[in-house]
């Protein structure tokens, strides 16, 4: 651990050279954002998060980022504070000015900053009651702890998991991006629900630094974070898009084999799959693979395989009801239009009893983006949860 702390101090010294303090050149800002991102990642570690709050120099640097004029630095600064709150909530409560900072940043024009504030406050509130803590990439859509409502009052958890190259906010925005429907609509229909969205890194190609953690590893990491947020202590409905459905099925399979996580399996009462490739999606057969020639592991894991067939059978054995949406063709900028997830794959769970399939006229990206509350893509979900 000493070596990690040494890295922190070296990063601090790098950021504090005169050119970084001035932040006058774009390359300085980009490097500072990169280093701030490293701090946010380090803050996930309990020992290092303590080092950050105990060191005046390190904390002042994080504080400076959180109040920076540059949005990207603000995001990483607030993200670091939110990650520290998971482990050092009591210490943070005693830091002068933190409440004021959180109240100010809650009204930021940037939604990511707002959610980091909510995550921080939720972890601080949870610490008082030995309640849920919200790790990196776990977004609390509802209820907002700063509005005086505790998540312990909620009677059901509704958890969203996006797909490849998606994100925990944008994937669930309406088509016109006027709202994030799980955050803005579900609390109206289900005021006693806690609504969470899970983020994770998963890209199709290595372009622009894109990476993809293997499915099994990704699933276990998400499972750990959900457990930390007390998911499994009340009934759960999962809502997934595309690859997110595979992640869900993999972590349920794993959870069923580990006593510590069994409560998550037992508490899962239903799953909504938007365009889930239950039996895979063959990009080569669709003549798309050449466009993803620097493909990540996600490309391989989404191909039809005996593993996906078995994963699908394992899910059926849980006897968990599901609602499955199909898709139409997706048209790419190079002129090719294909159905990325075939109806055969998307409907592989359908049995007329526990698993229902609904075909749609929307492409792979838009299938989970209802236009308004009376859209059948939303109304079917509401009826399913009821």
């Amino acid at each position: 651990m000493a070596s990690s702390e040494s890295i922190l101090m070296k990063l601090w010294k790098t950021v504090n050279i005169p050119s970084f303090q001035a932040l006058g050149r774009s390359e300085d800002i980009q490097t500072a954002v990169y280093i701030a991102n490293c701090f946010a990642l380090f803050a996930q570690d309990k020992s290092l998060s303590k080092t950050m709050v105990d060191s005046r120099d390190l904390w002042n640097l994080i504080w400076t980022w959180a109040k920076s004029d540059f949005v990207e630095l603000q995001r990483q600064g607030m993200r670091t504070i939110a990650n520290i709150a998971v482990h050092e909530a009591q210490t943070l409560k005693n830091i002068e000015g933190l409440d004021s900072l959180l109240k100010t940043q809650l009204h930021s024009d940037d939604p990511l900053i707002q959610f980091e504030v909510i995550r921080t406050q939720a972890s601080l509130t949870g610490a008082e009651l030995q309640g849920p803590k919200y790790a990196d990439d776990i977004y609390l859509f509802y209820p907002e702890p700063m509005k005086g409502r505790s998540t312990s009052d909620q009677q059901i958890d509704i958890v969203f998991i996006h797909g490849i190259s998606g994100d925990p906010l944008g994937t669930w925005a309406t088509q016109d991006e006027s709202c994030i429907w799980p955050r803005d609509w579900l609390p109206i229909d289900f005021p006693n629900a806690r609504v969470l969205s899970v983020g994770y890194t998963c890209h199709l190609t290595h372009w622009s630094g894109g990476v993809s953690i293997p499915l099994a590893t990704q699933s276990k990491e998400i499972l750990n974070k959900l457990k930390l947020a007390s998911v499994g202590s009340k009934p759960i409905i999962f809502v997934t898009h595309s690859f997110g459905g595979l992640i869900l099925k993999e972590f349920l399979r794993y959870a069923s084999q580990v006593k510590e996580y069994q409560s998550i399996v037992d508490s899962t009462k239903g799953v909504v799959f938007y365009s889930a490739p239950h039996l895979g999606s063959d990009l080569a057969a669709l003549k798309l693979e050449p466009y993803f020639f620097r493909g990540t592991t996600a490309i391989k894991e989404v191909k039809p395989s005996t593993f996906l067939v078995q994963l699908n059978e394992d899910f059926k054995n849980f006897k968990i009801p599901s609602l499955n949406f199909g898709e139409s063709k997706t048209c790419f900028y190079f002129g090719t239009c294909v159905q990325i997830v075939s109806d055969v794959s998307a409907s592989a769970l359908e049995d007329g009893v526990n698993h229902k399939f609904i075909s749609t006229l929307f492409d792979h990206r838009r299938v989970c983006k209802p236009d308004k509350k009376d859209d059948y893509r939303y109304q079917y979900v509401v009826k399913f949860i009821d």
Side-chain angles (χ1 to χ4, degrees), residues 37-277:
N37 177 66
C38 291
F39 269 64
L41 294 173
F42 280 135
Q44 297 180 68
D45 179 87
K46 184 175 183 179
S47 177
L48 291 179
S49 64
K50 178 174 174 54
T51 299
M52 290 180 186
V53 291
D54 287 347
S55 167
R56 178 177 297 181
D57 288 334
L58 292 177
W59 178 254
N60 285 343
L61 179 58
I62 295 166
W63 189 264
T64 299
W65 287 333
K67 300 181 72 174
S68 169
D69 291 334
F70 300 98
V71 172
E72 287 293 334
L73 277 177
Q74 285 186 47
R75 285 178 180 174
Q76 297 305 326
M78 294 307 302
R79 178 185 169 207
T80 302
I81 292 173
N83 286 346
I84 291 173
V86 173
H87 306 292
E88 295 292 325
Q90 295 301 334
T91 303
L92 286 184
K93 283 174 175 286
N94 297 322
I95 292 181
E96 185 178 354
L98 182 61
D99 283 344
S100 177
L101 174 66
L102 294 177
K103 289 177 182 177
T104 298
Q105 293 291 42
L106 183 62
H107 298 97
S108 167
D109 292 332
D110 185 81
L112 287 176
I113 292 174
Q114 293 175 10
F115 279 112
E116 297 299 358
V117 173
I118 293 171
R119 190 160 67 89
T120 301
Q121 191 60 45
S123 289
L124 295 179
T125 302
E128 297 176 356
L129 306 172
Q130 297 297 309
K133 297 178 181 179
Y134 296 85
D136 208 20
D137 288 326
I138 300 295
Y139 293 83
L140 177 61
F141 280 173
Y142 180 82
E144 289 185 22
M146 297 187 78
K147 291 187 176 180
R149 183 160 187 168
S150 169
T151 57
S152 62
D153 297 332
Q154 309 311 98
Q155 298 173 1
I156 183 174
D157 282 332
I158 306 176
V159 183
F160 288 75
I161 307 175
H162 66 78
I164 295 175
S165 298
D167 72 73
L169 307 185
T171 292
W172 310 110
T174 52
Q175 186 59 35
D176 62 3
E177 299 186 348
S178 60
C179 75
I180 298 173
W181 64 266
R183 179 195 65 187
D184 299 332
W185 297 349
L186 281 179
I188 298 172
D189 291 310
F190 302 99
N192 291 322
R194 178 175 65 159
V195 185
L196 301 173
S197 186
V198 178
Y200 62 97
T201 300
C202 186
H203 297 274
L204 278 175
T205 79
H206 289 292
W207 283 113
S208 302
V211 297
S212 179
I213 299 173
L215 176 64
T217 303
Q218 193 81 266
S219 298
K220 290 176 185 178
E221 289 184 0
I222 292 174
L223 187 62
N224 285 329
K225 292 178 179 180
L226 291 177
K227 184 69 175 179
L228 190 64
S230 298
V231 173
S233 61
K234 60 192 70 174
I236 313 165
I237 298 292
F238 286 101
V239 183
T240 71
H241 176 237
S242 188
F243 192 75
L246 302 185
I247 283 182
L248 167 73
K249 291 196 291 185
E250 171 61 19
F251 77 56
L252 287 179
R253 183 199 63 77
Y254 175 76
S256 69
Q257 301 170 4
V258 182
K259 185 176 180 180
E260 178 185 357
Y261 302 122
Q262 184 63 45
S263 64
I264 292 181
V265 180
D266 295 340
S267 299
T268 301
K269 304 305 179 184
V271 181
V272 177
F273 294 102
Y274 284 104
S275 290

Side-chain angles (χ1 to χ4, degrees), residues 273-288:
F273 294 102
Y274 284 104
S275 290
H278 294 300
L279 302 181
S281 175
D282 194 341
L283 296 177
L286 295 175
K287 300 181 180 180
L288 294 181

